Amino acid sequence: MQAGEVANRIVTVGDPQRARTMAKHMDQILFEHSSHRGFLTITGIYRGLPLSIVAIGMGAPMMDFFVREARMVVSGPLTIIRFGSCGSICNAGIGDVIAATGAFAINRNFAYFDNTPPVGMSYDLSPVVNADPRLTSALTARLDAALGASHVYRGQIGNADSFYGSQGRPASDFYDANHDLIPRLHNVFPDAVALEMESHMLLHLARFSTGSDNAHPPSIRAACALMVYADRSGDVFISPETSKRLSQLSATAVFDALIDDMPSQDGLHPAAGSVWESALSPV
């Protein structure tokens, strides 16, 4: 990422193909770049304002790379919406979307496995970090209108440090001590609705984008909307066709939420030298 390539309004996704599917709904695409780190950045214009989509791959470390490096090169406040996928542990079914009210981390506790007798619980759970309420309100309103309110759920998201053990998936080849993990999550977090691997890191970094002395207001606000790719109660999975259709239906809702929340360029990254400079210049 370089200064002037990424806008202050960002949609972040995992899958590069999802990024390209959503980018087709921009009014104009101005810039596309694939990095050696595996990021795909697409910046364009939507409703007359700059907006970027960044595909980052999977996992909290990739989210950490993205958020920190975007913050380094973009002047002014950042507004980020993660539009990703998840496994439902509630009534939300395949093809529904879950808007995160907050997220918590689920981390494998190595001290449990490496000691006899085990130390602590097999998985550590963090406190919940809340999503930005104003941005989340704009996002859910737009998703309700695009998909129908009956297909949009709300709740807290469990952000696991792995796809298998820390999400309670059973495995015959490894000792994961996770047979009771999902019931435990529901006991500790009654509003837990889904599992995935990125949202908590985004919300955590947004909350603490307060400077090295933790003395300033956060410079990043963030929200998350997650397509239900798997129903964990029955291990049913989404089809590629449904995934693409849902990305198409949700794209403008996510874009509109970013514009609703940040409707002006005042105080944002300067147009001079940016990839959107010519698009915003007076004719």
Side-chain angles (χ1 to χ4, degrees):
M1 292 183 188
Q2 302 293 326
E5 295 176 352
V6 183
N8 298 76
R9 306 168 191 85
I10 305 175
V11 181
T12 183
V13 301
D15 181 2
Q17 188 55 50
R18 187 183 310 144
R20 292 193 170 95
T21 296
M22 296 181 76
K24 293 177 182 178
H25 295 269
M26 288 179 167
D27 299 326
Q28 184 180 2
I29 295 175
L30 303 170
F31 174 82
E32 180 173 328
H33 176 69
S34 296
S35 74
H36 69 278
R37 190 169 280 150
F39 287 3
L40 169 67
T41 301
I42 303 172
T43 296
I45 299 294
Y46 182 76
R47 286 172 51 186
L49 296 170
L51 184 149
S52 294
I53 305 171
V54 184
I56 64 170
M58 296 172 66
M62 298 302 282
M63 183 62 77
D64 185 74
F65 271 129
F66 155 66
V67 174
R68 292 177 185 273
E69 295 184 0
R71 181 65 287 174
M72 289 176 193
V73 300
V74 180
S75 300
L78 281 172
T79 302
I80 303 172
I81 292 178
R82 163 165 157 72
F83 185 66
S85 61
C86 68
S88 171
I89 55 172
C90 68
N91 292 330
I94 300 299
D96 290 331
V97 171
I98 295 174
T101 58
F104 56 91
I106 308 166
N107 295 308
R108 189 178 181 97
N109 175 19
F110 295 104
Y112 177 92
F113 294 93
D114 293 338
N115 287 280
T116 304
V119 175
M121 304 289 286
S122 51
Y123 294 87
D124 293 328
L125 308 177
S126 80
V128 170
V129 179
N130 291 327
D132 182 81
R134 190 179 84 194
L135 183 58
T136 301
S137 178
L139 178 59
T140 52
R142 287 291 186 171
L143 289 170
D144 283 349
L147 305 176
S150 63
H151 293 288
V152 181
Y153 288 72
R154 296 151 178 80
Q156 296 171 347
I157 309 300
N159 185 173
D161 64 357
S162 73
F163 186 80
Y164 292 101
S166 299
Q167 294 193 43
R169 288 186 166 92
S172 59
D173 296 313
F174 297 92
Y175 175 55
D176 288 319
N178 64 0
H179 64 281
D180 61 348
L181 179 58
I182 292 178
R184 180 182 165 214
L185 297 181
H186 282 305
N187 183 57
V188 177
F189 305 105
D191 292 333
V193 290
L195 300 175
E196 48 86 268
M197 297 190 290
E198 294 84 19
S199 293
H200 178 265
M201 181 60 78
L202 171 60
L203 299 182
H204 171 81
L205 290 175
R207 178 182 175 185
F208 289 102
S209 60
T210 51
S212 60
D213 56 0
N214 194 28
H216 303 279
S219 64
I220 302 172
R221 294 184 302 110
C224 304
L226 308 170
M227 298 178 288
V228 176
Y229 264 34
D231 179 351
R232 292 299 306 279
S233 65
D235 283 332
V236 180
F237 297 92
I238 199 168
S239 69
E241 295 77 18
T242 301
S243 172
K244 183 176 181 179
R245 179 183 60 82
L246 197 54
S247 294
Q248 292 170 335
L249 289 172
S250 302
T252 55
V254 175
F255 295 171
D256 282 330
L258 284 169
I259 302 298
D260 293 345
D261 179 81
M262 191 181 276
S264 167
Q265 281 297 103
D266 293 345
L268 304 189
H269 194 94
S274 72
V275 298
W276 58 86
E277 180 177 8
S278 60
L280 298 188
S281 297
V283 177

